[in-house]
Amino acid sequence: SSTAAIGISARPSVLPYALTIFLSAFLLFLVQPIIAKQILPWFGGAAIVYGRYSQNLGGYVEQVEPGFVAKSVADRADVLARYQHDSNFLLGRVSAETLRLSDGLDVLDYEADLPDTSYARDLEALAARGDVRHSSFAFRVMPDGDSWGFTEQGYPLRTLNRGGGQLVDVAPVVTPAYLDTTSGLRSLA
């Protein structure tokens, strides 16, 4: 009986090994997203440049006042980032914390964590070549959210007023309405 007692007590317990494996897996899954956000590329740019004229939009030009979509940004509305405004090419969204918006006095900036998809890799390649370098934005106009007038040259002008818009999406695009917008690939790695 003394050898049986010695054999049982000399046998290592499985519990410390199981706890070590469990803790290692837990830490890996906890730390992995944090590290991934630091080294994976993200896409961003200026979706709105305030106070600048758009290109001809079919008989008129447009300008956006600072704060046009400020409520959407402040309320963390579920704005999307979509390549070319196409839902088939989703890049990120505010509610998933894969899209971040920053509304300043001069621009509305965005940053989207690119998904691991073929279209996102295609976008990376197009941006790296300089083929995609502008952005756009989709919006809804609230009551009294816009006003009409004329440019100094007498051309019809639509102004998107402060607080007058609900932001729907931001989008890297090939053909922008506003040439002053930007987009590009960024990385901390």
Side-chain angles (χ1 to χ4, degrees), residues 29-173:
F29 289 110
L30 179 72
V31 172
Q32 181 189 13
I34 296 168
I35 293 172
K37 281 192 174 203
Q38 296 300 316
I39 62 173
L40 289 177
W42 47 274
F43 203 89
I48 303 174
V49 179
Y50 296 118
R52 302 293 181 98
Y53 290 152
S54 69
Q55 297 192 79
N56 183 335
L57 298 176
Y60 69 97
V61 294
E62 191 176 73
Q63 71 178 353
V64 185
E65 288 185 346
F68 173 65
V69 295
K71 184 167 176 21
S72 296
V73 176
D75 292 348
R76 296 193 40 80
D78 194 18
V79 176
L80 306 176
R82 301 182 282 197
Y83 177 50
Q84 294 283 98
H85 299 290
D86 189 332
S87 291
N88 293 309
F89 302 123
L90 181 66
L91 302 172
R93 68 186 315 151
V94 169
S95 66
E97 297 182 4
T98 54
L99 173 63
R100 291 163 299 284
L101 302 171
S102 175
D103 196 18
L105 295 175
D106 299 324
V107 298
L108 172 75
D109 280 320
Y110 70 98
E111 298 174 355
D113 302 325
L114 289 179
D116 185 19
T117 60
S118 59
Y119 63 82
R121 288 187 293 276
D122 292 345
L123 176 59
E124 283 183 69
L126 291 168
R129 291 175 9 151
D131 296 328
V132 176
R133 60 181 181 263
H134 295 286
S135 292
S136 182
F137 66 106
F139 59 94
R140 292 183 190 92
V141 177
M142 309 312 280
D144 300 320
D146 63 351
S147 55
W148 289 85
F150 293 93
T151 65
E152 293 172 2
Q153 294 78 27
Y155 204 75
L157 170 66
R158 178 187 190 195
T159 300
L160 302 173
N161 300 327
R162 180 182 312 274
Q166 179 183 17
L167 187 60
V168 174
D169 86 2
V170 292
V173 295

Side-chain angles (χ1 to χ4, degrees), residues 19-35:
L19 287 174
T20 302
I21 291 170
F22 174 77
L23 182 61
S24 297
F26 174 76
L27 289 174
L28 175 67
F29 289 110
L30 179 72
V31 172
Q32 181 189 13
I34 296 168
I35 293 172

